[in-house]
PDB file of all heavy atoms in Angstrom:
ATOM      1  N   VAL A 241     -86.665 -70.298  89.347  1.00 96.00           N
ATOM      2  CA  VAL A 241     -85.640 -69.382  89.115  1.00 96.00           C
ATOM      3  C   VAL A 241     -86.159 -68.378  88.237  1.00 96.00           C
ATOM      4  O   VAL A 241     -86.796 -68.496  87.188  1.00 96.00           O
ATOM      5  CB  VAL A 241     -84.332 -69.876  88.578  1.00 96.00           C
ATOM      6  CG1 VAL A 241     -83.390 -68.887  88.019  1.00 96.00           C
ATOM      7  CG2 VAL A 241     -83.679 -70.882  89.567  1.00 96.00           C
ATOM      8  N   GLU A 242     -86.000 -66.984  88.502  1.00 96.00           N
ATOM      9  CA  GLU A 242     -86.458 -65.932  87.618  1.00 96.00           C
ATOM     10  C   GLU A 242     -85.256 -65.721  86.686  1.00 96.00           C
ATOM     11  O   GLU A 242     -84.307 -65.098  86.992  1.00 96.00           O
ATOM     12  CB  GLU A 242     -86.803 -64.720  88.561  1.00 96.00           C
ATOM     13  CG  GLU A 242     -87.375 -63.577  87.703  1.00 96.00           C
ATOM     14  CD  GLU A 242     -87.587 -62.339  88.594  1.00 96.00           C
ATOM     15  OE1 GLU A 242     -87.995 -62.576  89.703  1.00 96.00           O
ATOM     16  OE2 GLU A 242     -87.513 -61.198  88.093  1.00 96.00           O
ATOM     17  N   PHE A 243     -85.588 -66.181  85.369  1.00 98.00           N
ATOM     18  CA  PHE A 243     -84.588 -65.915  84.293  1.00 98.00           C
ATOM     19  C   PHE A 243     -84.601 -64.551  83.877  1.00 98.00           C
ATOM     20  O   PHE A 243     -85.678 -63.842  83.529  1.00 98.00           O
ATOM     21  CB  PHE A 243     -84.844 -66.922  83.214  1.00 98.00           C
ATOM     22  CG  PHE A 243     -84.596 -68.270  83.670  1.00 98.00           C
ATOM     23  CD1 PHE A 243     -85.645 -69.176  83.872  1.00 98.00           C
ATOM     24  CD2 PHE A 243     -83.385 -68.804  83.720  1.00 98.00           C
ATOM     25  CE1 PHE A 243     -85.489 -70.444  84.127  1.00 98.00           C
ATOM     26  CE2 PHE A 243     -83.205 -70.236  84.043  1.00 98.00           C
ATOM     27  CZ  PHE A 243     -84.194 -70.945  84.305  1.00 98.00           C
ATOM     28  N   GLU A 244     -83.388 -63.915  83.583  1.00 96.00           N
ATOM     29  CA  GLU A 244     -83.374 -62.710  82.767  1.00 96.00           C
ATOM     30  C   GLU A 244     -83.441 -62.978  81.306  1.00 96.00           C
ATOM     31  O   GLU A 244     -84.127 -62.242  80.565  1.00 96.00           O
ATOM     32  CB  GLU A 244     -81.942 -61.930  83.043  1.00 96.00           C
ATOM     33  CG  GLU A 244     -81.806 -60.737  82.313  1.00 96.00           C
ATOM     34  CD  GLU A 244     -82.650 -59.544  82.925  1.00 96.00           C
ATOM     35  OE1 GLU A 244     -83.366 -59.794  83.973  1.00 96.00           O
ATOM     36  OE2 GLU A 244     -82.773 -58.532  82.183  1.00 96.00           O
ATOM     37  N   ILE A 245     -82.854 -64.075  80.934  1.00 97.00           N
ATOM     38  CA  ILE A 245     -83.060 -64.707  79.598  1.00 97.00           C
ATOM     39  C   ILE A 245     -83.355 -66.193  79.817  1.00 97.00           C
ATOM     40  O   ILE A 245     -82.441 -66.904  80.320  1.00 97.00           O
ATOM     41  CB  ILE A 245     -81.777 -64.532  78.567  1.00 97.00           C
ATOM     42  CG1 ILE A 245     -81.586 -63.017  78.439  1.00 97.00           C
ATOM     43  CG2 ILE A 245     -82.071 -65.303  77.297  1.00 97.00           C
ATOM     44  CD1 ILE A 245     -80.376 -62.804  77.617  1.00 97.00           C
ATOM     45  N   ALA A 246     -84.509 -66.615  79.559  1.00 97.00           N
ATOM     46  CA  ALA A 246     -84.952 -68.089  79.636  1.00 97.00           C
ATOM     47  C   ALA A 246     -84.096 -69.023  78.845  1.00 97.00           C
ATOM     48  O   ALA A 246     -83.635 -68.559  77.747  1.00 97.00           O
ATOM     49  CB  ALA A 246     -86.324 -68.238  79.394  1.00 97.00           C
ATOM     50  N   PRO A 247     -83.841 -70.239  79.358  1.00 98.00           N
ATOM     51  CA  PRO A 247     -83.005 -71.052  78.449  1.00 98.00           C
ATOM     52  C   PRO A 247     -83.624 -71.250  77.027  1.00 98.00           C
ATOM     53  O   PRO A 247     -84.806 -71.320  76.837  1.00 98.00           O
ATOM     54  CB  PRO A 247     -83.353 -72.383  79.186  1.00 98.00           C
ATOM     55  CG  PRO A 247     -83.701 -72.116  80.591  1.00 98.00           C
ATOM     56  CD  PRO A 247     -84.442 -70.784  80.474  1.00 98.00           C
ATOM     57  N   TYR A 248     -82.674 -71.117  76.144  1.00 97.00           N
ATOM     58  CA  TYR A 248     -82.994 -71.286  74.738  1.00 97.00           C
ATOM     59  C   TYR A 248     -81.758 -71.731  73.993  1.00 97.00           C
ATOM     60  O   TYR A 248     -80.653 -71.450  74.542  1.00 97.00           O
ATOM     61  CB  TYR A 248     -83.749 -70.078  74.180  1.00 97.00           C
ATOM     62  CG  TYR A 248     -82.721 -69.026  73.670  1.00 97.00           C
ATOM     63  CD1 TYR A 248     -82.539 -68.745  72.405  1.00 97.00           C
ATOM     64  CD2 TYR A 248     -82.239 -68.121  74.609  1.00 97.00           C
ATOM     65  CE1 TYR A 248     -81.645 -67.607  71.921  1.00 97.00           C
ATOM     66  CE2 TYR A 248     -81.304 -67.037  74.119  1.00 97.00           C
ATOM     67  CZ  TYR A 248     -81.168 -66.914  72.825  1.00 97.00           C
ATOM     68  OH  TYR A 248     -80.335 -65.859  72.412  1.00 97.00           O
ATOM     69  N   ILE A 249     -81.851 -72.134  72.672  1.00 96.00           N
ATOM     70  CA  ILE A 249     -80.763 -72.289  71.918  1.00 96.00           C
ATOM     71  C   ILE A 249     -80.357 -71.124  71.045  1.00 96.00           C
ATOM     72  O   ILE A 249     -81.143 -70.584  70.252  1.00 96.00           O
ATOM     73  CB  ILE A 249     -80.913 -73.551  70.934  1.00 96.00           C
ATOM     74  CG1 ILE A 249     -81.376 -74.791  71.650  1.00 96.00           C
ATOM     75  CG2 ILE A 249     -79.815 -73.899  69.960  1.00 96.00           C
ATOM     76  CD1 ILE A 249     -80.328 -75.288  72.703  1.00 96.00           C
ATOM     77  N   ARG A 250     -79.249 -70.519  71.238  1.00 94.00           N
ATOM     78  CA  ARG A 250     -78.654 -69.411  70.565  1.00 94.00           C
ATOM     79  C   ARG A 250     -77.919 -69.862  69.433  1.00 94.00           C
ATOM     80  O   ARG A 250     -77.290 -70.766  69.306  1.00 94.00           O
ATOM     81  CB  ARG A 250     -77.862 -68.661  71.462  1.00 94.00           C
ATOM     82  CG  ARG A 250     -77.078 -67.482  70.950  1.00 94.00           C
ATOM     83  CD  ARG A 250     -76.051 -66.968  71.838  1.00 94.00           C
ATOM     84  NE  ARG A 250     -76.747 -66.200  72.938  1.00 94.00           N
ATOM     85  CZ  ARG A 250     -75.976 -65.768  74.061  1.00 94.00           C
ATOM     86  NH1 ARG A 250     -74.781 -66.123  74.169  1.00 94.00           N
ATOM     87  NH2 ARG A 250     -76.639 -65.128  74.978  1.00 94.00           N
TER      88      ARG A 250
END
Side-chain angles (χ1 to χ4, degrees):
V241 168
E242 186 177 324
F243 293 101
E244 183 69 12
I245 299 176
Y248 83 104
I249 304 300
R250 172 191 286 167

